[in-house]
Amino acid sequence: MHTIQPEWQIMRDRLRLGWRGYAAAGVYAALVILVMLAARYQWSIGSVELANPYYLHNLTLIGINVILVASLNLVNGYLGEFAIGHAGFLAVGAYASSVVTLLFHQSFWVALPVGALAGAVVGYLIALPAFKTFGDYLAIVTLGFNMIIVNIIQNLEVIGGPRGWGGQPKMTSFWLVAVVAGLSLIILRNLVYSNYGRVWLAIRENEIAAEMMGVDVMRYKMIAFVIAAFFAGLAGALWAHYQQYIHPSSFTYLRTTDLLVMLYLGGMASLSGSVLGVTIMTVLLESLRGVLSQFNLAEWRMVISPLVLIVIMLTRPQGLMGNREFAFVPRREEVPRREPARG
Amino acid sequence: MKLLEFLDVEVAYGAIVALQGVSFQVEEGEIVTLLGANGAGKSTTLRTISGLLPLRRGEVRLGGVDLRKLPAHEIVARGIAHVPEGRGIFANLTVQENLELATWTRKDKAQVAADFRYVYELFPRLGERRRQLGGTLSGGEQQMLAVARALMTRGRVMLLDEPSMGLSPLLVKEIFRTIGEINARGTTILLVEQNAHMALKIAHRGYVLETGRVVLAGTAAELAADPRVKEAYLGG
């Protein structure tokens, strides 16, 4: 780690999970298979179906949001910047992948990586001007980008314009989202615990000191941003081919705000926090749908998420898991890496 | 041989001119100290060398290479090791990781391993605490880590900004002893210090800055004997 490693060694080290990581991945895979079996054979307890389509739908949305929030955490949590244009990259991925399937009539398996790469490319183009600024200014630049993207889409008739765009083949299923979300988490975790992750933390802690260590700060910020945009694009491609209809209004800064609420609830710089935040918010909002409508308060549902945000900021500003991980995500010290020479 | 040259440099923060044509030089192997009151421009000088501040006029050269146009991280790679004021420890990285980060730009693997042994030998406390997070160290240990980290970049010139700040007299002595040792092993040092007494003890030469100008220059012995220095910085 204190030396420049050959690229293949870095890649190999990044793929290592440690036994806890493999155990967690195994449990995760088992759960996914269980849910799928329950859905396939309509297992039920009494009259309650264990995995009805409604549950599967919500689990799928959770999976997509996990990809979004965990990747946003890279920039807002680990790197410590404040970017608020994540829904813009979601839009780029959704529309780019739809262009591939609907306009070029190519397979979804082409569209999926194209959506992710489109997110990354646009992310790079945004990062160029955006990281000339920092703090509040970076927030404004990314917010501006989010609005511009939505406006461009609304004015492009060929991709549906303000009416939205439908007819994507239904290629995204629960199992695909489960697999992609799981792989995304593994990749993000390995990144966070790699040299890149340490540099991001260092930049967050003290940008000038990082620069004084010879770190090209701008470059590492851009890498984090582009990776986050890549995953947002990936999520967009999944989403477009799940809903089979996309509309510019789904990608406004309001969507970004939803993601931020989940991120802050779960906690900055914590991947397990991101999963937790997404799950809690989704389940909360869904269960409130039923509860509130019983009291004729259905329209109050949307007040809940800003309210949650306010309560977190007042009572637990670091979020539920801020800077910590569940034990099944191996801590940094346990990540296998070559021991430097001892003195 | 002139290692670091600072020629007629003018630096301004907006309308406020912090350095008004400052010139000095550091020879290879020397310890040179910059003395002066708050706001004299000492830290500004170091930050200018490191590329954190733009020059309005003048030149900065390291071993004859013009540093002015280089971004800060490349200046580090050319051999400037800056220990910033307030230490700038990465609180959420371990001691070992703090040090590893400093080897980021280096390609000489074998030498890096040797340097790890060297700094842990120089600062045994850091060796004991290498798995501990930087933020959990005491002030003195953090200062040691900051110096060790700068050593790991293997700079030719180490810029030290107020290494004694906030430390107990015992620790100040310890730090200065280490600075002397680092110098004896071949690292050139440019030291900015409020503690003129200690600084003049270990330095070979010194410059006194006042409101952005060099007002006095000389060997450490000459400066220590100068009545103006005695009155202003050595407490009579």
Side-chain angles (χ1 to χ4, degrees):
Chain A
M1 224 50 55
H2 56 284
T3 55
I4 307 293
Q5 290 175 309
E7 203 57 34
W8 69 269
Q9 275 186 3
I10 298 176
M11 291 309 293
R12 185 199 60 194
D13 285 352
R14 274 191 208 141
L15 290 174
R16 284 184 184 165
L17 283 179
W19 67 269
R20 277 183 174 167
Y22 288 117
V27 171
Y28 178 80
L31 277 175
V32 169
I33 290 169
L34 213 62
V35 169
M36 286 172 65
L37 286 177
R40 173 75 179 72
Y41 297 105
Q42 300 181 346
W43 290 347
S44 51
I45 297 175
S47 62
V48 183
E49 223 181 319
L50 278 182
N52 64 35
Y54 172 68
Y55 290 155
L56 273 191
H57 170 69
N58 277 312
L59 284 174
T60 310
L61 292 187
I62 287 176
I64 292 176
N65 280 333
V66 162
I67 301 173
L68 283 166
V69 173
S71 61
L72 183 61
N73 211 337
L74 222 51
V75 176
N76 286 26
Y78 293 94
L79 184 61
E81 290 290 350
F82 189 60
I84 48 176
H86 217 47
F89 300 115
L90 180 69
V92 170
Y95 276 90
S97 63
S98 301
V99 165
V100 172
T101 49
L102 294 182
L103 293 186
F104 292 104
H105 306 291
Q106 296 300 313
S107 141
F108 169 72
W109 303 108
V110 178
L112 189 64
V114 166
L117 287 176
V121 169
V122 175
Y124 178 74
L125 295 177
I126 301 304
L128 281 176
F131 281 114
K132 298 225 183 299
T133 66
F134 55 88
D136 303 352
Y137 305 102
L138 179 73
I140 306 272
V141 171
T142 49
L143 177 64
F145 149 73
N146 199 156
M147 292 162 129
I148 290 168
I149 280 287
V150 171
N151 269 305
I152 290 176
I153 292 168
Q154 277 174 340
N155 286 293
L156 275 181
E157 270 308 316
V158 65
I159 54 172
R163 280 170 288 112
W165 200 17
Q168 289 88 344
K170 175 124 187 169
M171 294 299 290
T172 305
S173 55
F174 164 73
W175 77 264
L176 178 64
V177 169
V179 168
V180 175
L183 286 179
S184 302
L185 280 174
I186 290 175
I187 293 170
L188 288 171
R189 173 212 160 272
N190 284 344
L191 270 173
V192 162
Y193 290 140
S194 72
N195 276 348
Y196 287 95
R198 287 187 202 103
V199 169
W200 291 329
L201 278 186
I203 292 173
R204 184 186 76 184
E205 311 256 316
N206 194 329
E207 193 169 328
I208 288 180
E211 190 125 39
M212 297 291 82
M213 295 299 107
V215 171
D216 187 344
V217 169
M218 170 93 171
R219 178 158 173 259
Y220 284 93
K221 283 183 172 181
M222 292 197 33
I223 290 174
F225 196 77
V226 169
I227 293 172
F230 175 90
F231 281 104
L234 187 68
L238 288 173
W239 201 52
H241 295 83
Y242 180 71
Q243 301 283 27
Q244 297 178 278
Y245 175 72
I246 46 180
H247 189 273
S249 69
S250 323
F251 304 107
T252 61
Y253 68 93
L254 286 173
R255 183 65 194 269
T256 303
T257 314
D258 278 346
L259 298 175
L260 286 172
V261 172
M262 295 174 185
L263 174 65
Y264 285 107
L265 173 66
M268 304 298 257
S270 165
L271 291 176
S272 26
S274 293
V275 176
L276 202 65
V278 168
T279 311
I280 291 176
M281 277 311 288
T282 311
V283 171
L284 184 70
L285 287 181
E286 278 308 313
S287 45
L288 281 173
R289 192 196 290 275
V291 175
L292 288 180
S293 54
Q294 282 182 350
F295 299 98
N296 259 335
L297 291 169
E299 63 272 30
W300 285 84
R301 197 166 72 98
M302 286 307 144
V303 178
I304 298 298
S305 87
L307 203 63
V308 168
L309 192 58
I310 293 172
V311 173
I312 307 165
M313 286 302 118
L314 289 177
T315 58
R316 203 176 159 80
Q318 74 275 36
L320 293 172
M321 297 292 294
N323 279 320
R324 291 177 302 144
E325 298 285 358
F326 283 128
F328 60 73
V329 182
R331 282 188 300 276
R332 192 165 42 226
E333 305 86 81
E334 295 169 42
V335 177
R337 55 202 181 101
R338 288 184 300 165
E339 271 296 296
R342 264 271 2 219
Chain B
M1 192 200 119
K2 278 180 219 156
L3 187 52
L4 182 68
E5 290 172 277
F6 206 73
L7 295 173
D8 194 26
V9 173
E10 190 174 301
V11 171
Y13 297 98
I16 299 156
V17 182
L19 298 182
Q20 325 188 16
V22 171
S23 298
F24 65 85
Q25 58 195 36
V26 181
E27 308 272 328
E28 183 129 40
E30 272 190 317
I31 300 183
V32 171
T33 181
L34 299 179
L35 303 175
N38 281 333
K42 301 175 308 244
S43 295
T44 304
T45 303
L46 297 193
R47 291 164 60 83
T48 306
I49 297 171
S50 286
L52 297 174
L53 295 171
L55 284 77
R56 281 225 306 220
R57 196 184 72 202
E59 281 181 52
V60 182
R61 292 175 173 281
L62 177 72
V65 179
D66 190 350
L67 295 184
R68 285 176 300 177
K69 288 277 162 353
L70 295 175
H73 63 269
E74 276 179 32
I75 292 179
V76 180
R78 301 281 163 123
I80 297 285
H82 190 158
V83 182
E85 196 176 359
R87 297 156 197 151
I89 294 303
F90 305 121
N92 273 318
L93 296 184
T94 64
V95 168
Q96 176 80 24
E97 286 169 341
N98 265 278
L99 295 175
E100 279 169 1
L101 207 83
T103 64
W104 196 249
T105 54
R106 298 179 49 181
K107 297 189 172 61
D108 46 343
K109 292 182 190 186
Q111 190 58 48
V112 168
D115 286 351
F116 264 104
R117 281 193 293 276
Y118 169 42
V119 300
Y120 281 140
E121 182 193 322
L122 201 59
F123 301 105
R125 298 276 286 175
L126 296 182
E128 289 161 25
R129 285 158 204 264
R130 50 201 278 276
R131 292 233 168 259
Q132 220 169 295
L133 292 185
T136 63
L137 300 180
S138 73
E141 289 163 350
Q142 287 193 4
Q143 186 65 59
M144 290 173 195
L145 180 54
V147 173
R149 213 172 49 175
L151 272 177
M152 291 305 293
T153 66
R154 220 158 221 267
R156 298 160 74 189
V157 183
M158 185 182 284
L159 314 181
L160 283 159
D161 200 344
E162 306 266 1
S164 75
M165 196 168 60
L167 300 185
S168 72
L170 207 65
L171 274 170
V172 172
K173 247 187 194 161
E174 169 83 20
I175 286 283
F176 273 90
R177 188 188 58 72
T178 316
I179 294 171
E181 199 169 314
I182 291 167
N183 176 249
R185 296 237 202 166
T187 305
T188 308
I189 287 173
L190 179 58
L191 170 67
V192 158
E193 215 9 284
Q194 293 269 357
N195 189 338
H197 193 69
M198 289 298 284
L200 286 175
K201 240 188 208 169
I202 65 162
H204 302 106
R205 294 188 302 114
Y207 294 85
V208 179
L209 292 180
E210 241 166 55
T211 56
R213 284 198 181 83
V214 174
V215 293
L216 265 179
T219 65
E222 282 166 12
L223 288 179
D226 191 291
R228 286 167 290 178
V229 174
K230 270 190 177 167
E231 167 146 26
Y233 305 110
L234 297 176

